Amino acid sequence: MPYQTTVGAQVYRFADLKTLLAKASPARSGDYLAGVAAATYEERMAAKLALAEVPLKRFLDEALIPYEEDEVTRLIIDRHDRAAFAPISHLTVGDLRDWLLLDSTDSATLEAVRWGITPEMAAAVSKLMRNQDLILVAKKCRVVTRFRNTIGLPGHLSVRLQPNHPTDDVRGIAASMLDGLLYGSGDAVVGINPASDSLPTLMRLWQMMDEVREHFAIPMQSCVLTHVTTQIQAIEAGAPIDLVFQSIAGTEKTNSSFGVSLAILREAHEAALSLGRGNLGDNVMYFETGQGSALSAGGHHGVDQQTCEVRAYAVAREFRPLLTNTVVGFIGPEYLYDGKQIIRAGLEDHFCAKLLGVPMGCDVCYTNHAEADQDDMDTLLTLLGAAGITFIMGIPGADDIMLNYQSTSFHDALYLRSVLGLKRAPEYEEWLLRMAITEPSGRLREIGKGHALLKDLPRLGAA
């Protein structure tokens, strides 16, 4: 079905909904690379005007990727809740923006409709919103998950402690882990990106993290970010796995390039649940996403990269994850060219995920060949903190020595908590206080050489 609008004497026509969404998307290098972006600012604005008039019901009738060709499309359509959709079914995309911004549209209202909103609807409305709109609405979205602690409560910010090492040296990883714990990081997850896919090597990492957790009675969860099929094998071999990780995308073809499918993810989800390791909840999955992955895999089907990204959140919410995060600037300037594009993408991803009920964090990051710097990341970090981001990364010195990109440090989390008055997960806060790592206010204490973590952790067998 074609769409059109007139600006002055110029009539702009868009062949289908997929084209309209792409042309209305804020400028980014990945869409230019894919050949789907608006050619001019005028065309982009015309597309926004036309998109604002599209009824939300239209998204249920016109699939961007055919139902018969893509299992993510089938998931989106089959899981759509028409009862949840009913209160907003009469709205256009522009009306939805206005409704989301109303003071009367509160957290409970947004939670009630989330399963009635498709990813394409969320992506569409985000394209009509200013940055402040994305922040305001995301702040109202509440997504709370639990495993050994509680993630996503209002006024809280969690941190993934990321103690990577280029050779998977257990002592080096344990040292980074100790550093992060003493800075009060790790309440989201202690998650290692391994250099190896050797099961014996990975088993040592799982065992070390679990030994540290048990010895100090830390209310945390751990994860090794290897391929999901390897984690299924490790579960069968008796590994102490808390969260199962996988990178996911918004099309079947892209997920296939990652070596996964919905069936494989279901198998992993069931395997993790069978372990029953969470004492507070059963949110056992951890997903990562990022704009541009579908294009790099040749699996975008002509859909703009932001809409492809939001479709990945349909995959995520199917498995009730504890955590999901967008690795926003990791792929590089081919997809998000500069700081302005990275900031916009981070706010879009967070807004769309939270609107759909996904517990969203962000790896606020960039590669050294992008037109971005640490000031851009500070800006995005602060904006996401104001928007109610679920968690961020905590990496020693903000420089990942294994993955070679710039992210956020333990100090960045301290900054954000101080400026915005954000707390850690409540169970983790209690542990930090009990271990004399923080004051009752949440501020860090001076740590002496006799502290239990400094004395005991180096003596643990696995560490």
Side-chain angles (χ1 to χ4, degrees):
M1 173 181 173
Y3 302 84
Q4 70 177 49
T5 192
T6 301
V7 179
Q10 177 72 45
V11 177
Y12 291 90
R13 293 184 175 86
F14 308 96
D16 50 29
L17 193 53
K18 175 169 62 178
T19 303
L20 181 62
L21 286 167
K23 300 294 186 184
S25 193
R28 59 207 58 199
S29 52
D31 288 340
Y32 286 115
L33 183 63
V36 302
T40 64
Y41 287 106
E42 290 80 3
E43 185 184 24
R44 180 171 299 111
M45 183 53 66
K48 289 177 184 289
L49 291 171
L51 181 59
E53 299 301 319
V54 175
L56 294 181
K57 290 179 180 178
R58 186 66 200 155
F59 290 88
L60 303 176
D61 299 327
E62 185 177 344
L64 306 188
I65 303 171
Y67 184 93
E68 299 76 16
E69 297 178 12
D70 186 89
E71 68 173 0
V72 178
T73 298
R74 293 194 290 274
L75 176 69
I76 292 167
I77 298 300
D78 294 348
R79 288 288 189 268
H80 183 252
D81 187 333
R82 290 188 177 271
F85 180 58
I88 58 172
S89 62
H90 61 290
L91 301 179
T92 65
V93 177
D95 293 334
L96 178 61
R97 173 189 176 275
D98 295 341
W99 180 81
L100 290 170
L101 293 169
L102 291 174
D103 289 339
S104 57
T105 304
D106 58 14
S107 300
T109 304
L110 291 171
E111 183 174 358
V113 301
R114 64 176 47 155
W115 282 95
I117 299 174
T118 69
E120 291 84 356
M121 294 175 194
V125 75
S126 75
K127 297 176 193 297
L128 305 183
M129 300 174 83
R130 295 169 58 186
N131 286 358
Q132 66 173 249
D133 299 338
L134 299 173
I135 293 168
L136 179 62
V137 178
K139 181 77 170 180
K140 296 193 288 185
C141 296
R142 299 281 183 261
V143 186
V144 179
T145 56
R146 294 176 175 86
F147 188 76
R148 289 198 189 94
N149 57 33
T150 305
I151 307 293
L153 293 170
H156 289 68
L157 169 75
S158 294
V159 177
R160 170 187 162 190
L161 203 172
Q162 187 170 312
N164 295 343
H165 192 280
T167 63
D168 294 333
D169 180 77
V170 174
R171 291 174 300 172
I173 290 171
S176 292
M177 186 173 169
L178 171 62
D179 191 23
L181 292 172
L182 291 174
Y183 275 107
S185 293
D187 52 338
V189 64
V190 177
I192 302 168
N193 297 90
S196 170
D197 59 1
S198 163
L199 194 55
T201 298
L202 301 177
M203 292 290 277
R204 285 195 292 273
L205 300 182
W206 275 305
Q207 290 162 358
M208 181 272 288
M209 289 189 291
D210 204 50
E211 184 177 357
V212 171
R213 178 190 66 80
E214 286 193 331
H215 182 84
F216 296 107
I218 310 175
M220 62 170 235
Q221 40 277 331
S222 65
C223 185
V224 177
L225 283 69
T226 189
H227 195 270
V228 66
T229 55
T230 303
Q231 292 166 89
I232 293 172
Q233 294 176 19
I235 289 173
E236 294 171 348
I241 291 179
D242 292 338
L243 305 185
V244 169
F245 166 82
Q246 182 57 45
S247 293
I248 56 173
T251 72
E252 179 179 349
K253 187 174 182 180
T254 309
N255 283 326
S256 295
S257 76
F258 294 164
V260 298
S261 64
L262 295 178
I264 291 173
L265 294 176
R266 288 192 183 97
E267 180 183 355
H269 186 227
E270 291 169 4
L273 286 173
S274 72
L275 299 178
R277 291 176 57 84
N279 63 327
L280 290 185
D282 62 354
N283 300 115
V284 296
M285 303 297 283
Y286 174 22
F287 295 120
E288 283 189 347
T289 67
Q291 289 193 29
S293 61
L295 177 57
S296 64
H300 62 100
H301 298 269
V303 177
D304 69 90
Q305 69 178 38
Q306 188 247 345
T307 302
C308 280
E309 166 72 6
V310 184
R311 283 169 54 93
Y313 307 154
V315 178
R317 70 177 178 177
E318 174 73 5
F319 299 100
R320 302 186 300 107
L322 181 77
L323 306 165
T324 301
N325 72 268
T326 170
V327 193
V328 66
F330 179 72
I331 301 182
E334 300 85 356
Y335 305 100
L336 295 170
Y337 179 73
D338 57 15
K340 181 180 178 67
Q341 293 187 10
I342 293 171
I343 289 168
R344 175 69 190 190
L347 295 177
E348 289 171 346
D349 293 352
H350 179 248
F351 159 81
C352 290
K354 286 288 186 66
L355 188 62
L356 295 171
V358 175
M360 195 62 164
C362 183
D363 191 344
V364 180
C365 63
Y366 66 102
T367 57
N368 286 317
H369 62 309
E371 291 294 321
D373 59 26
Q374 201 60 53
D375 285 338
D376 294 316
M377 299 305 104
D378 286 350
T379 299
L380 178 56
L381 176 68
T382 307
L383 293 174
L384 286 171
I389 192 77
T390 300
F391 72 106
I392 62 170
M393 305 298 129
I395 300 173
D399 187 359
D400 194 297
I401 60 175
M402 201 281 280
L403 295 175
N404 294 311
Y405 75 110
Q406 309 303 310
S407 185
T408 47
S409 70
F410 306 135
H411 299 83
D412 291 322
L414 296 178
Y415 148 76
L416 204 57
R417 289 195 175 109
S418 178
V419 168
L420 299 178
L422 302 173
K423 298 179 180 181
R424 301 170 181 89
E427 300 84 0
Y428 204 77
E429 287 252 293
E430 292 174 7
W431 177 79
L432 292 171
L433 184 61
R434 188 166 65 250
M435 292 293 294
I437 296 173
T438 60
E439 303 284 356
S441 66
R443 291 185 180 274
L444 294 179
R445 298 182 59 173
E446 290 290 331
I447 302 297
K449 293 182 180 179
H451 192 277
L453 280 175
L454 290 172
K455 287 195 307 181
D456 293 355
L457 196 149
R459 300 174 183 172
L460 298 180

